[in-house]
Amino acid sequence: MPFLKKIYRWLNVRIGADEILEQELTGYRLPANINGWYSLGSVLLFALALQVVSGILLLVYYVPDADKAFASVTAIMNQVPFGWLIRMCHAVGSNLMVLVLILHMLSVLFMGSYKRPRELSWLSGFMLLNLVMAISLTGYLLPWSQLSFWATTVATNSFGAIPVVGGFLVEFLRGGKLVGPQTLGRFFALHVALIPLGIGALVGLHLFLLKRVGVSAPPFGLSDTGNQWQGDRYRYEDHPDGIPFFPNFVVKDLISICLYLAFLLLVVFFNPFIFFPKDAFIPANPFQTPAHIKPEWYFLANYQTLKIFPSELLGLTAQGVAMTFLALLPFIDRGRERHPLKRPLFLACSIGGIAVWIGLTIWGHYS
Ligand code: HEM
């Protein structure tokens, strides 16, 4: 269209659009043997954007007041046009995003992409994982249902086992001795303002590092890059013989994003309440404890760990050790080899770790 071309030319003179597009899209080369796992990062960016948009739309009708929150969510589901769709996309989307996050982490783990010089990409990703968990936990309270109220009571209670500061921490999080209207205010502020700001900043850092260090070549097939290390110095890993980001890899990214969206809508249309136990449909009642209160599936392993240790402090310590080990992995596993089958110790430990996590999750679900 001549009009659009005119606007583009106008912009080009002023900001050098041609040069930016060449540098960032067609001239930005990725490893020739890149595979579909590398598109999970883009799926995560898309999933995050969907959470932000659906979250802002929910804010139009949601009321963060203990007396009105449950009724406002019920109205979104039953009266607001397409409110159910927005809410279900937000609730189901949060679960699927955690699932994709775990897959992204596993792909980085098995292809050894966390190894030097990408330690900071791993660390920023690890912090993102924690913030995504925190945003889910705080969001859980907002509908002010029985599930929200009691799951938050159980989750905040466990912080009390931390020596010295535990009691203070629980009160600080709850804004009082017990979960109540003041907790809703705090969790609302964390969920819609503070944690999203942190996630935004960390995603920025994550992408900055990706551009700065370059995408790793997968350890399979024919790589286009030789050894990037020159003594103790590392040069930016570009891929002169690789494929252009646009259009070649963007098409792969778009296919993965469409698959994600298709799966999300499939759940939303055909099994929307899969992540909603029956206590999610009853308004919060501080005087009536439900018989079985369980956290979301990705917290079940943590929940079960706290139950099987003789004391909560031991359970928390075990989780702290496991998380610290995961955070520091690039500094512990320092070998240069990245092919998973050529790292038998790594393979045994990670498969063992994943099996324990899945085992605890299933146990937590049926216990
Ligand atoms: C909201 C969460 C996240 C977003 C939006 C995100 C986004 C991305 C994107 C777009 C890429 C580049 C393409 C790719 O390799 O997939 C990437 C790479 C990477 N991510 Fe993430 N990520 C997130 C969480 C994580 C987590 C939890 C970890 C691990 C603890 C992690 C570790 C890495 C590493 C090490 C790379 C470099 C991979 C390479 O160069 O081969 N990320 N991420």
Side-chain angles (χ1 to χ4, degrees):
M1 273 184 279
F3 178 65
L4 285 182
K5 269 194 182 146
K6 245 185 177 171
I7 296 185
Y8 183 80
R9 237 178 286 133
W10 189 89
L11 271 178
N12 198 21
V13 172
R14 279 149 188 91
I15 61 164
D18 271 350
E19 201 184 309
I20 296 178
L21 290 185
E22 153 66 18
Q23 242 175 35
E24 306 296 325
L25 297 175
T26 44
Y28 178 46
R29 301 210 157 239
L30 299 174
N33 60 341
I34 196 160
N35 56 46
W37 291 100
Y38 282 74
S39 61
L40 289 180
S42 304
V43 174
L44 276 173
L45 287 177
F46 173 80
L48 193 63
L50 206 63
Q51 290 306 105
V52 173
V53 173
S54 55
I56 291 174
L57 289 175
L58 286 175
L59 275 183
V60 176
Y61 290 98
Y62 173 75
V63 187
D65 178 322
D67 291 330
K68 299 181 184 147
F70 189 82
S72 71
V73 174
T74 311
I76 290 173
M77 290 297 283
N78 299 329
Q79 287 156 24
V80 176
F82 295 105
W84 62 272
L85 181 61
I86 305 292
R87 185 186 180 213
M88 285 300 113
C89 280
H90 197 74
V92 175
S94 74
N95 281 279
L96 292 194
M97 190 176 157
V98 173
L99 185 69
V100 180
L101 197 72
I102 293 173
L103 290 179
H104 174 58
M105 211 170 132
L106 288 180
S107 82
V108 163
L109 202 67
F110 281 100
M111 290 193 274
S113 312
Y114 57 86
K115 295 195 169 199
R116 80 169 189 167
R118 295 187 178 78
E119 297 93 331
L120 292 176
S121 302
W122 174 265
L123 277 179
S124 57
F126 180 80
M127 287 191 256
L128 273 170
L129 174 78
N130 285 287
L131 283 191
V132 169
M133 298 287 199
I135 206 165
S136 305
L137 191 82
T138 48
Y140 220 46
L141 182 67
L142 303 190
W144 206 247
S145 64
Q146 273 291 70
L147 179 71
S148 312
F149 186 91
W150 291 101
T152 306
T153 300
V154 174
T156 46
N157 240 348
S158 51
F159 288 101
I162 301 173
V164 191
V165 290
F168 167 76
L169 201 63
V170 176
E171 246 183 80
F172 179 71
L173 281 173
R174 291 180 175 171
K177 292 258 179 254
L178 300 170
V179 172
Q182 65 294 342
T183 322
L184 182 61
R186 281 163 192 240
F187 275 37
F188 179 68
L190 285 171
H191 187 78
V192 305
L194 198 61
I195 304 178
L197 277 176
I199 291 183
L202 278 172
V203 167
L205 175 65
H206 204 62
L207 297 182
F208 165 78
L209 290 166
L210 182 80
K211 273 309 292 246
R212 208 59 205 155
V213 185
V215 176
S216 67
F220 318 110
L222 271 185
S223 168
D224 56 17
T225 39
N227 189 357
Q228 301 301 316
W229 291 96
Q230 290 151 1
D232 206 25
R233 296 188 53 177
Y234 182 83
R235 89 181 152 76
Y236 165 77
E237 188 165 357
D238 57 358
H239 306 274
D241 301 325
I243 57 163
F245 174 59
F246 180 85
N248 302 42
F249 200 68
V250 168
V251 171
K252 246 189 194 149
D253 274 346
L254 285 177
I255 293 174
S256 303
I257 288 172
C258 287
L259 286 175
Y260 174 81
L261 195 59
F263 189 60
L264 174 73
L265 293 179
L266 195 79
V267 179
V268 167
F269 290 142
F270 293 101
N271 201 353
F273 299 128
I274 183 171
F275 300 113
F276 285 72
K278 69 173 181 7
D279 287 317
F281 302 99
I282 305 169
N285 181 354
F287 304 107
Q288 193 182 64
T289 318
H292 300 289
I293 202 80
K294 297 258 171 79
E296 283 153 304
W297 60 271
Y298 43 87
F299 285 124
L300 281 173
N302 305 63
Y303 162 85
Q304 192 57 24
T305 310
L306 289 182
K307 277 188 14 188
I308 55 179
F309 276 91
S311 83
E312 277 210 328
L313 180 59
L314 271 181
L316 277 184
T317 311
Q319 290 178 29
V321 169
M323 287 303 265
T324 310
F325 179 80
L326 202 61
L328 299 181
L329 184 67
F331 306 98
I332 298 167
D333 175 18
R334 293 165 62 88
R336 294 274 172 90
E337 182 57 62
R338 288 182 42 216
H339 196 297
L341 296 180
K342 293 180 186 154
R343 296 185 283 150
L345 181 64
F346 159 84
L347 205 60
C349 292
S350 39
I351 292 179
I354 294 166
V356 168
W357 186 80
I358 294 178
L360 283 169
T361 302
I362 297 174
W363 191 4
H365 178 75
Y366 288 106
S367 67

